[in-house]
Amino acid sequence: MPKLSDTMTVGTLIKWLKKEGDVIKSGDMLAEVETDKATMELESFFDGTLLKLFVPAGSQVAVGAPLCAIGKAGEAVEVPSGAAKPAAKTPAAPAPAAPSPAPSAKAPAVTAAPALAPVIHQGRIKISPLAKKLAAELGVDAARVPASGPGGRIVRADILAAQKGGQASASAAPKGSSFFTSSGPVEDKVIALTNMRSTIARRTQESKVQAPHIYLEVEADATPLLELRSQLNTALEKEGVKLSVNDFILKACGNALRKVPMVNASYETDQSGQGSIRVHGAVNVSFAVAIEDGLITPVVRDTSGKSLFEVSSEAKSLAKLARDKKLQPAQYTGGTFCVSNMGMLGIDRFCAIINQPNAAILAVGGTVKKPVVVNDQIVIGQRMSLTLSCDHRVLDGAIGAQFLAALKELIEKPALLLL
């Protein structure tokens, strides 16, 4: 198991793309592996025959542990002691039999509701995207569907079979059994942490404990930016160009970091515990992308040196790769500053946790129409909240304020971003 990210300690082997006996060439993709940040394809660096698979799909494997053997056809292979052992499968518990009611001559005939199948998947459910979509359309509870796909994954055929049987469908539940009207107790649900969620939990806790956060906030007039964005998108519609507000923010942050380079920094300690501040020469702005398991922060490198349109194109490409879980380590590591934009989710303002080792992160809220004072007159303005979380070991409030002032000027004079 290779180390596919800077913080990876274990990986989950999602599925094998080759089987024992297959002829393998260098560069062939052997398997899909889920790291703490993405799902990636595992590449072979050897030519030969795939002699033995040491771990089944769905196994968690420590970095450095053996996964398979590739060699000459017919070679004898022994399973090494460090190979991961397959997890024992827990048989699904049979549905409890309903007690028969005592016979009564006066009791009216009642049509019994079909019994629900037991929950057989706890925590994260392994299900193909097509099966997940189909389950939502048919009202099938995937947690109750037996899996027949590789590595215990639910596939389309499983959903169709469950829907036909009716025991895993929402319609199989007796009337009045919804969350709000159920007369029985509501059971707790325990969700096992994925590799990514475990890493997020650990790193955000470390950041809040290790980095003393201070928060600085300004409001920017977003009207000029929105007007310029509309003009450019209209003029370049035939070229397939569509700029987002986030594209302007990323480019503005890159330029503002050049003006106030101390924000483009990290706090470091040596082996003796002595601290120092590294001011980065490169301006690599990362941005938070929400995916199914959590967040990942792809990086637009040399953000200040690229045009607004180059930043836009690269950001869109990286965001798609992130949602498809196809980012390579070089595409989500090495960021020197981070942007978290929740404006498109209806959030007006918020404070973000610093993505260490960065010294700061910018939280961007949505654009809100509100009354503002312009030339002593109350008019309707469009205001955007910008909140900078700073690591006080690196930045004082004055330097953070200088950065926000530079950023605000670029947002309110967005034509400067086209130069």
Side-chain angles (χ1 to χ4, degrees), residues 174-206:
K175 292 182 179 180
S177 63
S178 69
F179 180 87
F180 294 102
T181 60
S182 174
S183 57
V186 179
E187 296 181 357
D188 292 346
K189 182 179 181 181
V190 179
I191 301 175
L193 295 181
T194 62
N195 294 342
M196 174 177 285
R197 179 52 61 183
S198 295
T199 300
I200 291 173
R202 174 174 53 82
R203 287 177 61 84
T204 51
Q205 182 181 25
E206 289 174 353

PDB file of all heavy atoms in Angstrom, residues 174-206:
ATOM      1  N   PRO A 174     -45.372   0.005   7.780  1.00  0.00           N
ATOM      2  CA  PRO A 174     -46.778   0.242   8.070  1.00  0.00           C
ATOM      3  C   PRO A 174     -47.068   1.721   8.194  1.00  0.00           C
ATOM      4  O   PRO A 174     -46.206   2.500   8.579  1.00  0.00           O
ATOM      5  CB  PRO A 174     -46.976  -0.488   9.409  1.00  0.00           C
ATOM      6  CG  PRO A 174     -45.619  -0.612  10.005  1.00  0.00           C
ATOM      7  CD  PRO A 174     -44.669  -0.720   8.857  1.00  0.00           C
ATOM      8  N   LYS A 175     -48.288   2.100   7.858  1.00  0.00           N
ATOM      9  CA  LYS A 175     -48.677   3.503   7.946  1.00  0.00           C
ATOM     10  C   LYS A 175     -48.544   3.995   9.379  1.00  0.00           C
ATOM     11  O   LYS A 175     -48.811   3.284  10.326  1.00  0.00           O
ATOM     12  CB  LYS A 175     -50.117   3.683   7.470  1.00  0.00           C
ATOM     13  CG  LYS A 175     -50.290   3.424   5.975  1.00  0.00           C
ATOM     14  CD  LYS A 175     -51.716   3.672   5.557  1.00  0.00           C
ATOM     15  CE  LYS A 175     -51.891   3.451   4.074  1.00  0.00           C
ATOM     16  NZ  LYS A 175     -53.286   3.682   3.638  1.00  0.00           N
ATOM     17  N   GLY A 176     -48.131   5.261   9.489  1.00  0.00           N
ATOM     18  CA  GLY A 176     -47.985   5.849  10.815  1.00  0.00           C
ATOM     19  C   GLY A 176     -46.662   5.526  11.465  1.00  0.00           C
ATOM     20  O   GLY A 176     -46.508   5.755  12.650  1.00  0.00           O
ATOM     21  N   SER A 177     -45.675   4.981  10.665  1.00  0.00           N
ATOM     22  CA  SER A 177     -44.401   4.616  11.273  1.00  0.00           C
ATOM     23  C   SER A 177     -43.296   5.610  10.941  1.00  0.00           C
ATOM     24  O   SER A 177     -42.141   5.285  10.991  1.00  0.00           O
ATOM     25  CB  SER A 177     -43.982   3.223  10.796  1.00  0.00           C
ATOM     26  OG  SER A 177     -43.768   3.236   9.388  1.00  0.00           O
ATOM     27  N   SER A 178     -43.655   6.826  10.539  1.00  0.00           N
ATOM     28  CA  SER A 178     -42.642   7.826  10.250  1.00  0.00           C
ATOM     29  C   SER A 178     -41.995   8.294  11.538  1.00  0.00           C
ATOM     30  O   SER A 178     -42.417   7.961  12.634  1.00  0.00           O
ATOM     31  CB  SER A 178     -43.274   9.027   9.534  1.00  0.00           C
ATOM     32  OG  SER A 178     -44.117   9.731  10.426  1.00  0.00           O
ATOM     33  N   PHE A 179     -40.946   9.078  11.384  1.00  0.00           N
ATOM     34  CA  PHE A 179     -40.186   9.547  12.550  1.00  0.00           C
ATOM     35  C   PHE A 179     -41.069  10.299  13.532  1.00  0.00           C
ATOM     36  O   PHE A 179     -40.953  10.158  14.739  1.00  0.00           O
ATOM     37  CB  PHE A 179     -39.041  10.448  12.064  1.00  0.00           C
ATOM     38  CG  PHE A 179     -38.187  10.997  13.181  1.00  0.00           C
ATOM     39  CD1 PHE A 179     -37.113  10.282  13.667  1.00  0.00           C
ATOM     40  CD2 PHE A 179     -38.474  12.226  13.756  1.00  0.00           C
ATOM     41  CE1 PHE A 179     -36.330  10.788  14.696  1.00  0.00           C
ATOM     42  CE2 PHE A 179     -37.703  12.732  14.777  1.00  0.00           C
ATOM     43  CZ  PHE A 179     -36.633  12.013  15.246  1.00  0.00           C
ATOM     44  N   PHE A 180     -41.975  11.111  13.024  1.00  0.00           N
ATOM     45  CA  PHE A 180     -42.769  11.973  13.901  1.00  0.00           C
ATOM     46  C   PHE A 180     -43.983  11.268  14.501  1.00  0.00           C
ATOM     47  O   PHE A 180     -44.491  11.687  15.521  1.00  0.00           O
ATOM     48  CB  PHE A 180     -43.228  13.215  13.120  1.00  0.00           C
ATOM     49  CG  PHE A 180     -42.096  14.103  12.724  1.00  0.00           C
ATOM     50  CD1 PHE A 180     -41.621  14.086  11.424  1.00  0.00           C
ATOM     51  CD2 PHE A 180     -41.477  14.938  13.641  1.00  0.00           C
ATOM     52  CE1 PHE A 180     -40.556  14.896  11.047  1.00  0.00           C
ATOM     53  CE2 PHE A 180     -40.424  15.738  13.264  1.00  0.00           C
ATOM     54  CZ  PHE A 180     -39.961  15.718  11.981  1.00  0.00           C
ATOM     55  N   THR A 181     -44.453  10.190  13.872  1.00  0.00           N
ATOM     56  CA  THR A 181     -45.680   9.564  14.361  1.00  0.00           C
ATOM     57  C   THR A 181     -45.448   8.179  14.954  1.00  0.00           C
ATOM     58  O   THR A 181     -46.374   7.555  15.421  1.00  0.00           O
ATOM     59  CB  THR A 181     -46.700   9.441  13.219  1.00  0.00           C
ATOM     60  OG1 THR A 181     -46.143   8.630  12.169  1.00  0.00           O
ATOM     61  CG2 THR A 181     -47.050  10.806  12.657  1.00  0.00           C
ATOM     62  N   SER A 182     -44.225   7.691  14.917  1.00  0.00           N
ATOM     63  CA  SER A 182     -43.970   6.351  15.446  1.00  0.00           C
ATOM     64  C   SER A 182     -44.206   6.325  16.948  1.00  0.00           C
ATOM     65  O   SER A 182     -43.787   7.211  17.684  1.00  0.00           O
ATOM     66  CB  SER A 182     -42.528   5.945  15.142  1.00  0.00           C
ATOM     67  OG  SER A 182     -42.237   4.706  15.763  1.00  0.00           O
ATOM     68  N   SER A 183     -44.889   5.278  17.395  1.00  0.00           N
ATOM     69  CA  SER A 183     -45.141   5.147  18.827  1.00  0.00           C
ATOM     70  C   SER A 183     -44.001   4.434  19.533  1.00  0.00           C
ATOM     71  O   SER A 183     -43.887   4.481  20.750  1.00  0.00           O
ATOM     72  CB  SER A 183     -46.436   4.356  19.042  1.00  0.00           C
ATOM     73  OG  SER A 183     -46.348   3.079  18.404  1.00  0.00           O
ATOM     74  N   GLY A 184     -43.133   3.756  18.758  1.00  0.00           N
ATOM     75  CA  GLY A 184     -42.014   3.039  19.356  1.00  0.00           C
ATOM     76  C   GLY A 184     -40.818   3.951  19.554  1.00  0.00           C
ATOM     77  O   GLY A 184     -40.801   5.101  19.114  1.00  0.00           O
ATOM     78  N   PRO A 185     -39.778   3.460  20.212  1.00  0.00           N
ATOM     79  CA  PRO A 185     -38.573   4.266  20.448  1.00  0.00           C
ATOM     80  C   PRO A 185     -37.793   4.485  19.161  1.00  0.00           C
ATOM     81  O   PRO A 185     -37.796   3.637  18.265  1.00  0.00           O
ATOM     82  CB  PRO A 185     -37.777   3.412  21.437  1.00  0.00           C
ATOM     83  CG  PRO A 185     -38.227   2.014  21.167  1.00  0.00           C
ATOM     84  CD  PRO A 185     -39.675   2.113  20.802  1.00  0.00           C
ATOM     85  N   VAL A 186     -37.147   5.626  19.049  1.00  0.00           N
ATOM     86  CA  VAL A 186     -36.276   5.928  17.917  1.00  0.00           C
ATOM     87  C   VAL A 186     -34.875   5.478  18.282  1.00  0.00           C
ATOM     88  O   VAL A 186     -34.290   5.948  19.255  1.00  0.00           O
ATOM     89  CB  VAL A 186     -36.293   7.436  17.586  1.00  0.00           C
ATOM     90  CG1 VAL A 186     -35.355   7.734  16.427  1.00  0.00           C
ATOM     91  CG2 VAL A 186     -37.710   7.885  17.248  1.00  0.00           C
ATOM     92  N   GLU A 187     -34.308   4.574  17.508  1.00  0.00           N
ATOM     93  CA  GLU A 187     -33.009   4.006  17.838  1.00  0.00           C
ATOM     94  C   GLU A 187     -31.879   4.919  17.394  1.00  0.00           C
ATOM     95  O   GLU A 187     -31.980   5.635  16.401  1.00  0.00           O
ATOM     96  CB  GLU A 187     -32.865   2.633  17.172  1.00  0.00           C
ATOM     97  CG  GLU A 187     -33.862   1.588  17.660  1.00  0.00           C
ATOM     98  CD  GLU A 187     -33.650   0.248  16.988  1.00  0.00           C
ATOM     99  OE1 GLU A 187     -32.768   0.168  16.111  1.00  0.00           O
ATOM    100  OE2 GLU A 187     -34.353  -0.704  17.346  1.00  0.00           O
ATOM    101  N   ASP A 188     -30.763   4.875  18.157  1.00  0.00           N
ATOM    102  CA  ASP A 188     -29.562   5.588  17.761  1.00  0.00           C
ATOM    103  C   ASP A 188     -28.967   4.934  16.519  1.00  0.00           C
ATOM    104  O   ASP A 188     -29.162   3.741  16.278  1.00  0.00           O
ATOM    105  CB  ASP A 188     -28.512   5.556  18.880  1.00  0.00           C
ATOM    106  CG  ASP A 188     -28.941   6.361  20.093  1.00  0.00           C
ATOM    107  OD1 ASP A 188     -29.898   7.141  19.958  1.00  0.00           O
ATOM    108  OD2 ASP A 188     -28.325   6.205  21.159  1.00  0.00           O
ATOM    109  N   LYS A 189     -28.253   5.731  15.769  1.00  0.00           N
ATOM    110  CA  LYS A 189     -27.557   5.210  14.603  1.00  0.00           C
ATOM    111  C   LYS A 189     -26.078   5.534  14.744  1.00  0.00           C
ATOM    112  O   LYS A 189     -25.704   6.696  14.888  1.00  0.00           O
ATOM    113  CB  LYS A 189     -28.118   5.848  13.317  1.00  0.00           C
ATOM    114  CG  LYS A 189     -27.463   5.322  12.036  1.00  0.00           C
ATOM    115  CD  LYS A 189     -28.082   5.964  10.817  1.00  0.00           C
ATOM    116  CE  LYS A 189     -27.458   5.439   9.536  1.00  0.00           C
ATOM    117  NZ  LYS A 189     -28.042   6.082   8.332  1.00  0.00           N
ATOM    118  N   VAL A 190     -25.251   4.535  14.743  1.00  0.00           N
ATOM    119  CA  VAL A 190     -23.807   4.710  14.868  1.00  0.00           C
ATOM    120  C   VAL A 190     -23.188   4.643  13.479  1.00  0.00           C
ATOM    121  O   VAL A 190     -23.386   3.666  12.752  1.00  0.00           O
ATOM    122  CB  VAL A 190     -23.193   3.630  15.778  1.00  0.00           C
ATOM    123  CG1 VAL A 190     -21.680   3.815  15.866  1.00  0.00           C
ATOM    124  CG2 VAL A 190     -23.812   3.696  17.163  1.00  0.00           C
ATOM    125  N   ILE A 191     -22.470   5.686  13.109  1.00  0.00           N
ATOM    126  CA  ILE A 191     -21.865   5.777  11.782  1.00  0.00           C
ATOM    127  C   ILE A 191     -20.354   5.653  11.927  1.00  0.00           C
ATOM    128  O   ILE A 191     -19.715   6.467  12.595  1.00  0.00           O
ATOM    129  CB  ILE A 191     -22.217   7.108  11.094  1.00  0.00           C
ATOM    130  CG1 ILE A 191     -23.743   7.230  10.957  1.00  0.00           C
ATOM    131  CG2 ILE A 191     -21.552   7.212   9.737  1.00  0.00           C
ATOM    132  CD1 ILE A 191     -24.193   8.559  10.393  1.00  0.00           C
ATOM    133  N   ALA A 192     -19.803   4.639  11.307  1.00  0.00           N
ATOM    134  CA  ALA A 192     -18.353   4.451  11.351  1.00  0.00           C
ATOM    135  C   ALA A 192     -17.668   5.545  10.541  1.00  0.00           C
ATOM    136  O   ALA A 192     -18.163   5.977   9.496  1.00  0.00           O
ATOM    137  CB  ALA A 192     -17.991   3.075  10.787  1.00  0.00           C
ATOM    138  N   LEU A 193     -16.513   6.005  11.026  1.00  0.00           N
ATOM    139  CA  LEU A 193     -15.777   7.062  10.348  1.00  0.00           C
ATOM    140  C   LEU A 193     -15.041   6.506   9.136  1.00  0.00           C
ATOM    141  O   LEU A 193     -14.397   5.463   9.209  1.00  0.00           O
ATOM    142  CB  LEU A 193     -14.770   7.712  11.295  1.00  0.00           C
ATOM    143  CG  LEU A 193     -15.322   8.474  12.501  1.00  0.00           C
ATOM    144  CD1 LEU A 193     -14.185   9.066  13.309  1.00  0.00           C
ATOM    145  CD2 LEU A 193     -16.284   9.564  12.065  1.00  0.00           C
ATOM    146  N   THR A 194     -15.133   7.221   8.029  1.00  0.00           N
ATOM    147  CA  THR A 194     -14.315   6.891   6.870  1.00  0.00           C
ATOM    148  C   THR A 194     -12.908   7.412   7.105  1.00  0.00           C
ATOM    149  O   THR A 194     -12.649   8.182   8.045  1.00  0.00           O
ATOM    150  CB  THR A 194     -14.884   7.535   5.598  1.00  0.00           C
ATOM    151  OG1 THR A 194     -14.863   8.970   5.753  1.00  0.00           O
ATOM    152  CG2 THR A 194     -16.317   7.083   5.348  1.00  0.00           C
ATOM    153  N   ASN A 195     -11.983   7.016   6.234  1.00  0.00           N
ATOM    154  CA  ASN A 195     -10.612   7.525   6.345  1.00  0.00           C
ATOM    155  C   ASN A 195     -10.600   9.048   6.285  1.00  0.00           C
ATOM    156  O   ASN A 195      -9.897   9.716   7.055  1.00  0.00           O
ATOM    157  CB  ASN A 195      -9.749   6.956   5.219  1.00  0.00           C
ATOM    158  CG  ASN A 195      -9.551   5.463   5.334  1.00  0.00           C
ATOM    159  OD1 ASN A 195      -9.768   4.885   6.396  1.00  0.00           O
ATOM    160  ND2 ASN A 195      -9.142   4.833   4.244  1.00  0.00           N
ATOM    161  N   MET A 196     -11.397   9.607   5.363  1.00  0.00           N
ATOM    162  CA  MET A 196     -11.407  11.061   5.208  1.00  0.00           C
ATOM    163  C   MET A 196     -11.979  11.752   6.441  1.00  0.00           C
ATOM    164  O   MET A 196     -11.417  12.726   6.938  1.00  0.00           O
ATOM    165  CB  MET A 196     -12.200  11.462   3.961  1.00  0.00           C
ATOM    166  CG  MET A 196     -12.374  12.966   3.795  1.00  0.00           C
ATOM    167  SD  MET A 196     -13.226  13.432   2.277  1.00  0.00           S
ATOM    168  CE  MET A 196     -11.928  13.162   1.079  1.00  0.00           C
ATOM    169  N   ARG A 197     -13.115  11.238   6.955  1.00  0.00           N
ATOM    170  CA  ARG A 197     -13.736  11.876   8.112  1.00  0.00           C
ATOM    171  C   ARG A 197     -12.833  11.770   9.339  1.00  0.00           C
ATOM    172  O   ARG A 197     -12.773  12.685  10.153  1.00  0.00           O
ATOM    173  CB  ARG A 197     -15.106  11.246   8.362  1.00  0.00           C
ATOM    174  CG  ARG A 197     -15.867  11.788   9.557  1.00  0.00           C
ATOM    175  CD  ARG A 197     -15.986  13.303   9.546  1.00  0.00           C
ATOM    176  NE  ARG A 197     -16.701  13.812   8.402  1.00  0.00           N
ATOM    177  CZ  ARG A 197     -16.873  15.100   8.160  1.00  0.00           C
ATOM    178  NH1 ARG A 197     -16.359  16.006   8.976  1.00  0.00           N
ATOM    179  NH2 ARG A 197     -17.535  15.494   7.093  1.00  0.00           N
ATOM    180  N   SER A 198     -12.111  10.656   9.485  1.00  0.00           N
ATOM    181  CA  SER A 198     -11.172  10.507  10.603  1.00  0.00           C
ATOM    182  C   SER A 198     -10.073  11.562  10.524  1.00  0.00           C
ATOM    183  O   SER A 198      -9.689  12.171  11.526  1.00  0.00           O
ATOM    184  CB  SER A 198     -10.554   9.105  10.597  1.00  0.00           C
ATOM    185  OG  SER A 198     -11.524   8.118  10.831  1.00  0.00           O
ATOM    186  N   THR A 199      -9.579  11.788   9.310  1.00  0.00           N
ATOM    187  CA  THR A 199      -8.519  12.786   9.120  1.00  0.00           C
ATOM    188  C   THR A 199      -9.042  14.192   9.387  1.00  0.00           C
ATOM    189  O   THR A 199      -8.368  15.016  10.022  1.00  0.00           O
ATOM    190  CB  THR A 199      -7.951  12.691   7.695  1.00  0.00           C
ATOM    191  OG1 THR A 199      -7.416  11.384   7.495  1.00  0.00           O
ATOM    192  CG2 THR A 199      -6.848  13.718   7.476  1.00  0.00           C
ATOM    193  N   ILE A 200     -10.255  14.494   8.914  1.00  0.00           N
ATOM    194  CA  ILE A 200     -10.846  15.806   9.163  1.00  0.00           C
ATOM    195  C   ILE A 200     -11.007  16.037  10.664  1.00  0.00           C
ATOM    196  O   ILE A 200     -10.695  17.111  11.192  1.00  0.00           O
ATOM    197  CB  ILE A 200     -12.199  15.934   8.441  1.00  0.00           C
ATOM    198  CG1 ILE A 200     -11.993  15.997   6.930  1.00  0.00           C
ATOM    199  CG2 ILE A 200     -12.957  17.181   8.918  1.00  0.00           C
ATOM    200  CD1 ILE A 200     -13.282  15.945   6.135  1.00  0.00           C
ATOM    201  N   ALA A 201     -11.503  15.016  11.370  1.00  0.00           N
ATOM    202  CA  ALA A 201     -11.699  15.148  12.821  1.00  0.00           C
ATOM    203  C   ALA A 201     -10.378  15.423  13.519  1.00  0.00           C
ATOM    204  O   ALA A 201     -10.279  16.305  14.392  1.00  0.00           O
ATOM    205  CB  ALA A 201     -12.339  13.874  13.373  1.00  0.00           C
ATOM    206  N   ARG A 202      -9.347  14.696  13.134  1.00  0.00           N
ATOM    207  CA  ARG A 202      -8.048  14.849  13.801  1.00  0.00           C
ATOM    208  C   ARG A 202      -7.412  16.200  13.483  1.00  0.00           C
ATOM    209  O   ARG A 202      -6.938  16.905  14.375  1.00  0.00           O
ATOM    210  CB  ARG A 202      -7.111  13.718  13.369  1.00  0.00           C
ATOM    211  CG  ARG A 202      -5.679  13.840  13.888  1.00  0.00           C
ATOM    212  CD  ARG A 202      -4.880  12.605  13.535  1.00  0.00           C
ATOM    213  NE  ARG A 202      -4.942  12.290  12.116  1.00  0.00           N
ATOM    214  CZ  ARG A 202      -4.181  12.884  11.196  1.00  0.00           C
ATOM    215  NH1 ARG A 202      -3.327  13.835  11.556  1.00  0.00           N
ATOM    216  NH2 ARG A 202      -4.273  12.550   9.929  1.00  0.00           N
ATOM    217  N   ARG A 203      -7.433  16.586  12.201  1.00  0.00           N
ATOM    218  CA  ARG A 203      -6.732  17.807  11.802  1.00  0.00           C
ATOM    219  C   ARG A 203      -7.446  19.074  12.287  1.00  0.00           C
ATOM    220  O   ARG A 203      -6.790  20.062  12.653  1.00  0.00           O
ATOM    221  CB  ARG A 203      -6.572  17.837  10.278  1.00  0.00           C
ATOM    222  CG  ARG A 203      -5.515  16.851   9.784  1.00  0.00           C
ATOM    223  CD  ARG A 203      -5.428  16.838   8.271  1.00  0.00           C
ATOM    224  NE  ARG A 203      -5.062  18.138   7.735  1.00  0.00           N
ATOM    225  CZ  ARG A 203      -3.821  18.584   7.618  1.00  0.00           C
ATOM    226  NH1 ARG A 203      -2.809  17.844   8.036  1.00  0.00           N
ATOM    227  NH2 ARG A 203      -3.571  19.766   7.092  1.00  0.00           N
ATOM    228  N   THR A 204      -8.780  19.088  12.287  1.00  0.00           N
ATOM    229  CA  THR A 204      -9.472  20.273  12.794  1.00  0.00           C
ATOM    230  C   THR A 204      -9.289  20.416  14.304  1.00  0.00           C
ATOM    231  O   THR A 204      -9.147  21.536  14.813  1.00  0.00           O
ATOM    232  CB  THR A 204     -10.974  20.212  12.462  1.00  0.00           C
ATOM    233  OG1 THR A 204     -11.520  18.948  12.872  1.00  0.00           O
ATOM    234  CG2 THR A 204     -11.203  20.384  10.966  1.00  0.00           C
ATOM    235  N   GLN A 205      -9.271  19.289  15.018  1.00  0.00           N
ATOM    236  CA  GLN A 205      -9.012  19.367  16.461  1.00  0.00           C
ATOM    237  C   GLN A 205      -7.604  19.881  16.727  1.00  0.00           C
ATOM    238  O   GLN A 205      -7.389  20.747  17.585  1.00  0.00           O
ATOM    239  CB  GLN A 205      -9.211  18.003  17.107  1.00  0.00           C
ATOM    240  CG  GLN A 205      -8.998  18.020  18.626  1.00  0.00           C
ATOM    241  CD  GLN A 205      -9.176  16.646  19.258  1.00  0.00           C
ATOM    242  OE1 GLN A 205      -9.012  15.635  18.599  1.00  0.00           O
ATOM    243  NE2 GLN A 205      -9.523  16.624  20.521  1.00  0.00           N
ATOM    244  N   GLU A 206      -6.626  19.361  15.971  1.00  0.00           N
ATOM    245  CA  GLU A 206      -5.249  19.830  16.144  1.00  0.00           C
ATOM    246  C   GLU A 206      -5.132  21.318  15.853  1.00  0.00           C
ATOM    247  O   GLU A 206      -4.438  22.052  16.565  1.00  0.00           O
ATOM    248  CB  GLU A 206      -4.322  19.039  15.217  1.00  0.00           C
ATOM    249  CG  GLU A 206      -4.104  17.592  15.624  1.00  0.00           C
ATOM    250  CD  GLU A 206      -3.294  16.825  14.587  1.00  0.00           C
ATOM    251  OE1 GLU A 206      -3.027  17.392  13.499  1.00  0.00           O
ATOM    252  OE2 GLU A 206      -2.936  15.666  14.862  1.00  0.00           O
TER     253      GLU A 206
END
